[in-house]
Amino acid sequence: MRHAVCLLALLLCGCSVGKYEYSREAEKRVDMTVTGIPTILGLGTLGTTIPLTSKYSLTAAHVAKFSLYRVKSYHPECDLAVVYHKNGNVTPPRFRNGHIGDKINLYGYSFISALPVASSGTNLVNTGLKNSWNKLSCVVVATNAGVVKGMSGGAVYNASDNSVGGVIVGYSDKINDLKTGKLLYQHVGLYIPYSRFKAWLDDAIKS
């Protein structure tokens, strides 16, 4: 992927960006985790995990932090974690880094409905993201695919070959150019690309 060319102004608003819909395919590819303080819906804090092996799953660090799962490893820079989870005889996903302009499909669970959801879109741009979970050095990808609260930790699939290209970590209402301050994109989903966590993930699931 290209070098980061802009800086994200992370200003979350509402519960979602873009278009997403109920998906049985999402139910096959990702799992839901419900924990934390109960909401008016009675569901608690909801997030998504990606089964990796019979005993490990991949998710966002902020999801792992508030889940009941035991954490195997936190990424040192990115909003990612490998957690212990009994997945049975799961087929390990195949990972591949994508590129700007590629078509992608996102899978996760909706906090609003607690149902599996999916969306489709395009990789728009690499961007900086700095918060309590993600350091600026861990560059993320912005996409016009829809994301709803609860999809964090969910899977980003490369549409061309059905490989996993990254992990959903959130959304933003805008991205500005780093040098000019010009508005580049509005209402985008955000995910960490495979290239940023390949070595860490390989090491985390060795044993």
Side-chain angles (χ1 to χ4, degrees):
M1 291 189 174
R2 300 179 211 161
H3 296 293
V5 295
C6 55
L7 179 65
L8 174 68
L10 187 63
L11 299 172
L12 301 184
C13 58
C15 291
S16 65
V17 295
K19 180 182 178 182
Y20 59 91
E21 58 186 17
Y22 167 74
S23 168
R24 289 188 176 181
E25 189 62 30
E27 191 172 15
K28 300 175 184 177
R29 297 173 186 255
V30 294
D31 293 325
M32 178 176 67
T33 174
V34 182
T35 55
I37 300 172
T39 67
I40 57 173
L41 297 177
L43 296 175
T45 301
L46 187 150
T48 304
T49 62
I50 306 168
L52 293 174
T53 68
S54 60
K55 61 179 180 179
Y56 299 133
S57 289
L58 177 63
T59 189
H62 71 270
V63 171
K65 181 69 174 181
F66 299 108
S67 74
L68 297 178
Y69 300 133
R70 187 161 56 103
V71 175
K72 173 69 161 53
S73 177
Y74 282 109
H75 194 286
E77 297 179 326
C78 301
D79 184 4
L80 294 171
V82 169
V83 298
Y84 291 93
H85 189 259
K86 294 181 179 179
N87 294 313
N89 295 321
V90 64
T91 301
R94 182 170 63 89
F95 287 86
R96 178 183 66 79
N97 200 55
H99 302 279
I100 299 303
D102 286 357
K103 300 296 183 181
I104 54 173
N105 299 312
L106 276 58
Y107 299 100
Y109 277 82
S110 167
F111 173 83
I112 298 172
S113 65
L115 292 174
V117 293
S119 65
S120 297
T122 302
N123 290 329
L124 298 175
V125 69
N126 292 341
T127 185
L129 170 59
K130 184 178 181 181
N131 56 30
S132 56
W133 302 103
N134 204 83
K135 295 181 180 179
L136 195 60
S137 56
C138 183
V139 174
V140 301
V141 177
T143 173
N144 54 11
V147 174
V148 63
K149 187 177 180 181
M151 288 180 75
S152 288
V156 178
Y157 274 77
N158 296 304
S160 62
D161 62 2
N162 213 30
S163 59
V164 178
V167 180
I168 304 165
V169 291
Y171 52 87
S172 178
D173 67 344
K174 64 180 180 179
I175 292 180
N176 295 329
D177 184 86
L178 178 61
K179 294 182 178 180
T180 66
K182 180 182 178 180
L183 177 65
L184 297 179
Y185 299 102
Q186 289 183 291
H187 310 305
V188 296
L190 304 172
Y191 76 88
I192 299 174
Y194 180 51
S195 62
R196 296 291 167 178
F197 62 88
K198 180 184 184 302
W200 164 81
L201 182 63
D202 290 344
D203 184 66
I205 62 176
K206 280 181 179 178
S207 59

